[in-house]
Amino acid sequence: MSPATATETVWDGVRQSYIPPEPLRLDPAVRLHTAAAEEVDGVDYEVLRHALWNVNDEHGVTIEKVSGSPFASNAHDFNTVILTEDGEYVFFGPHIQYFSGAMDMPIKWTLENLGGAPGIGEGDMFLSNDPWVGASHQSDVQLTCPVFWEGKIFCWVANALHQYDIGGNTPGSFCADAETVFDEPVPIPPLKMVEADRIRPDLERMYLRHSRQPELVALDLRAQMAGNIVARNRIHGFIERYGPEAVKAVMRKIISDGEESFVRRLRAIPDGTWRAVGYLEAALPGDRGVYPVTMNVRKEGEMLTFDNRGSHPSVGAVNSTFSGWRAGILCILNPYLCYDQLYSTGGMLRHVRFEPEVGTINCPSFPASVTNSQIGNVFGGALANVALGKMMLSAPELRDEAFAAGGGSVFPMSAIGGVDENGNEFGTGFLDPLGGAIGAFPNRDGVDTGGTFYEPKSLMGNVEQIEQMFPVLYLYRREQPDSGGSGKFRGGNGGAFAVVPHRIETIFHAPSAAGCAVPTSLGLSGGAPACTNRFRMLRGSDVRHRFAARQIPQAIDSIDGEEGLVEPKERGMTQGPDDVWEVSWCAGGGYGDPLEREPEAVLADVIRGAVSTETALSVYGVVIVDGDEEPRLDAPGTAARRDAERRGRLERSRSWQEIEGGDDAGK
Amino acid sequence: MQVSDALELTGEGVDRGYRCLRCEQSLGAATENYKLSAAIEQVELSEGNRYIGDPGRYVDERMVLRRFYCPGCGTLLDTEVARQDDPPLHDIEIA
């Protein structure tokens, strides 16, 4: 990477983000294993390609089994990765994509900065979570592991795993009111946590001292170490069976095949520039500002260039560093233009440039607050989703693979904590919004609660397990009709869940989100944006009386109680035994003009409860007769309604000049 | 060249411009923002979806939803979420 702005900026991971130079400035002590066979047998290639892919999968399963944490086991809030000897991606694992997209940087930083002292040796592993060096945010702790062969670094395996609590001013480490990084978990540049396959006790004590739940963090560290060891052993096994030069040749070919596939798709796209803009709010609790976030993508020949010009300067606790911004973009580039390459991104990255503007909300300078980077990482990906989607609509062979932004475009983090019925401290975050939704395509609807674009193996967590581990009782978890963006093809609906305390008097809440005021799942080609995120607290409800009457309420609006406004970011909020907490998450954006949607498709949506009769009429112009019998279409009524709406549109509209001229009615 | 669901780029040189795919209405030169040639309906953000509430609950700035229609046939070409005073985003520039 060599951003245009790099001439005046030192991209060393100290005050500004680390951007690795090409080539890396390696210490002479670093010895890389670079030899590769010139040719590789086709069968061996496919066997080893899929074997390497499965190494990532097995690596992840190991983390799940050893950790046992809800984040790891129930929600797959981690990812794994394999990289070449000098840190070029071979494969991402199948879990949270933006975790992997930030992992080449700490490895390259380690090769540049730690090669001489303390040195990179066999059996060493390096722990890091510094968003300026390269991490999605401090909670997603990385453990990188060089795989040696005959005294040289053959390749790297690595993982990142979300920790329960890694410090900072808020239990759970989502520090909604952090004004700088000094209010947050300490960012840790890569350090040698594991030496010759043994955890260094001095460094571990320092690391665990940051956490409110050190025993869980210690277990997660061992899970991450175990995952790396399993992956390393598998690769050693391949080397022993096929030879190092054959395995390395397969890695090189995986990357070059990915490059070829990416370039082939780029060639189908005309040169041009496409843009998307979205807005984040609530930089801090009580803040009422709105902050634009811009994503520009320029396609020239065989190169894609991303920049963030137009984004707001860094502000409050909604920033994400360059590595998170870049990782968010990779989350969507992969399924859009490299979907047949098993998450191999190294070849693609040879044709992608990043030109971040320093000091912005998505490239802040140290010591900005960055612990809520998960907001910006994902939102950056959602905006890249829209900008790239527009780009792909101009390429006939790629058009049908574009899609509108999906659910989870900003993740509404609902973090809770307190003391459970046994007197033990607890803390967690609800990961139900990973249920997400898929945005609409040019030729088909999105998918209701179809997951998120950044986690192919999305899991929402099992309600029964969550209730077993934490003192909460679910009232419901359900899909939200009408929440998807309207269009010729409809965005997938999102969902909502509600909980009450179980056998305790108080739960402490620290919600942290954006996308509550302004929708973040944008549509394409006239498709409407989806719903917003929303937190709701109903105080003094009658829910316990309802339980006594053997009723389980299925909607917060059906419960009596007092509702006040819950901001996107709150501190010091509590939930009592009669209070109901609901979180609903943004859904998928729509595609195309809703008046062009097939009336039969709207009727089918109404019959299965995905769209209400009211929305069918007011948004889609479809008249449905809904009496005592099965709902049916009124075809002549629908045609007349749609004709009238098209005329009405033009009667209500104005030119931009009229609107800009200050005509209040036009605004 | 089709560039979105209802928009195409036609012609060559100085005649190159955007056109509605449904009714062939011209929507400006290729070098310009086609949205400036569209019929624009600017509405409250809450009209975008029944679960988008009043942004004023959380933010002071007035946010709007813009719908860009073909002035010839009323086909919806694009939507945009924006601050009230921001100009329409020039989102497509094909070389």
Side-chain angles (χ1 to χ4, degrees), chain A residues 273 275 288 482 652 667, chain B residues 41 50 60 62 90 93:
Chain A
T273 300
R275 301 184 180 88
R288 294 182 57 81
D482 287 335
R652 297 190 301 268
K667 289 194 173 185
Chain B
E41 185 181 17
R50 80 181 245 208
D60 292 329
R62 186 173 175 213
H90 192 177
E93 284 186 78

Side-chain angles (χ1 to χ4, degrees), chain A residues 78 135 150 160 165 167 191 211 221 223 244 359 369 383 392-393 417 424 459 540 551 617 655 659:
Chain A
F78 65 85
E150 296 177 341
D165 185 293
L191 56 80
S211 177
L221 174 61
S369 162
L383 292 173
M392 289 166 65
L393 293 177
N424 298 319
L459 287 176
Q551 297 173 1
L617 183 65
S655 69
I659 294 172

Side-chain angles (χ1 to χ4, degrees), chain A residues 270-277 279 281 287-290 292 390 393-394 399 442 480-485 488 516-519 522-532 534-535 565-568 591-594 596 612 615 645-646 649-650 652-657 659 666-667, chain B residues 1-6 16 22 35-45 47-95:
Chain A
D271 285 357
T273 300
W274 293 264
R275 301 184 180 88
V277 175
Y279 300 85
E281 76 271 4
D287 173 50
R288 294 182 57 81
V290 176
K390 291 173 183 176
L393 293 177
S394 300
R399 184 171 298 131
Q480 191 100 299
D482 287 335
S483 57
K488 179 161 74 173
C516 297
V518 185
L522 305 177
L524 273 181
S525 283
C531 68
T532 47
R534 190 174 183 189
F535 297 123
L565 183 69
V566 180
E567 300 279 355
Y591 178 90
D593 186 343
E596 294 185 355
S612 65
T615 296
E645 173 55 19
R646 286 192 180 91
R649 285 173 169 182
L650 296 180
R652 297 190 301 268
S653 296
R654 293 163 187 273
S655 69
W656 177 247
Q657 289 76 11
I659 294 172
K667 289 194 173 185
Chain B
M1 175 199 306
Q2 183 174 352
V3 299
S4 75
D5 194 67
R16 194 165 180 237
R22 307 289 184 267
K35 293 176 182 173
L36 300 179
S37 299
I40 305 172
E41 185 181 17
Q42 188 159 280
V43 300
E44 299 295 336
L45 208 48
E47 289 191 31
N49 183 284
R50 80 181 245 208
Y51 292 110
I52 299 174
D54 175 10
R57 292 174 300 178
Y58 306 110
V59 298
D60 292 329
E61 196 140 17
R62 186 173 175 213
M63 304 299 297
V64 295
L65 176 69
R66 293 185 185 135
R67 297 179 178 129
F68 300 94
Y69 301 120
C70 168
C73 63
T75 295
L76 180 56
L77 303 170
D78 201 6
T79 60
E80 184 173 286
V81 171
R83 294 179 293 193
Q84 175 177 281
D85 295 325
D86 286 344
L89 178 69
H90 192 177
D91 60 341
I92 303 175
E93 284 186 78
I94 295 183

Side-chain angles (χ1 to χ4, degrees), chain A residues 450-606:
Chain A
T452 63
F453 67 92
Y454 47 87
E455 191 183 8
K457 291 176 91 170
S458 283
L459 287 176
M460 306 167 75
N462 181 308
V463 165
E464 300 300 331
Q465 284 179 314
I466 296 167
E467 289 178 334
Q468 186 180 27
M469 295 190 72
F470 303 104
V472 297
L473 190 66
Y474 274 74
L475 298 185
Y476 53 84
R477 179 201 273 171
R478 59 175 171 74
E479 289 184 350
Q480 191 100 299
D482 287 335
S483 57
S486 60
K488 179 161 74 173
F489 294 101
R490 177 176 68 76
N493 284 330
F497 70 95
V499 296
V500 294
H502 185 58
R503 294 181 179 169
I504 60 169
E505 293 298 311
T506 306
I507 293 177
F508 294 92
H509 283 261
S512 181
C516 297
V518 185
T520 50
S521 300
L522 305 177
L524 273 181
S525 283
C531 68
T532 47
N533 292 317
R534 190 174 183 189
F535 297 123
R536 300 177 72 180
M537 184 74 86
L538 198 66
R539 303 276 182 198
S541 80
D542 62 347
V543 69
R544 286 201 282 189
H545 298 294
R546 302 280 288 272
F547 290 160
R550 304 183 71 76
Q551 297 173 1
I552 303 176
Q554 293 300 294
I556 196 166
D557 290 325
S558 70
I559 307 170
D560 291 334
E562 291 287 326
E563 183 172 3
L565 183 69
V566 180
E567 300 279 355
K569 290 188 173 65
E570 295 266 2
R571 283 297 307 273
M573 191 172 68
T574 60
Q575 180 181 14
D578 292 322
D579 302 340
V580 177
W581 173 246
E582 187 195 70
V583 179
S584 53
W585 64 86
C586 56
Y591 178 90
D593 186 343
L595 294 186
E596 294 185 355
R597 183 165 176 77
E598 289 294 335
E600 290 77 11
V602 177
L603 176 66
D605 280 342
V606 168

Side-chain angles (χ1 to χ4, degrees), chain A residues 7-88:
Chain A
T7 50
E8 298 171 7
T9 305
V10 180
W11 299 95
D12 60 359
V14 181
R15 179 165 168 73
Q16 308 302 342
S17 290
Y18 171 63
I19 298 185
E22 291 179 359
L24 296 176
R25 295 160 296 210
L26 295 179
D27 188 282
V30 174
R31 299 179 68 210
L32 302 180
H33 186 293
T34 57
E38 288 187 7
E39 291 187 6
V40 58
D41 174 79
V43 174
D44 285 352
Y45 172 67
E46 286 303 331
V47 168
L48 272 169
R49 184 165 85 108
H50 287 83
L52 285 167
W53 160 255
N54 278 300
V55 166
N56 267 333
D57 210 21
E58 189 177 2
H59 184 161
V61 170
T62 306
I63 292 173
E64 282 179 59
K65 299 298 183 193
V66 177
S67 164
S69 83
F71 286 115
S73 301
N74 295 353
H76 292 174
D77 199 357
F78 65 85
N79 209 1
T80 57
V81 68
I82 300 174
L83 307 97
T84 60
E85 69 279 3
D86 56 353
E88 188 170 27

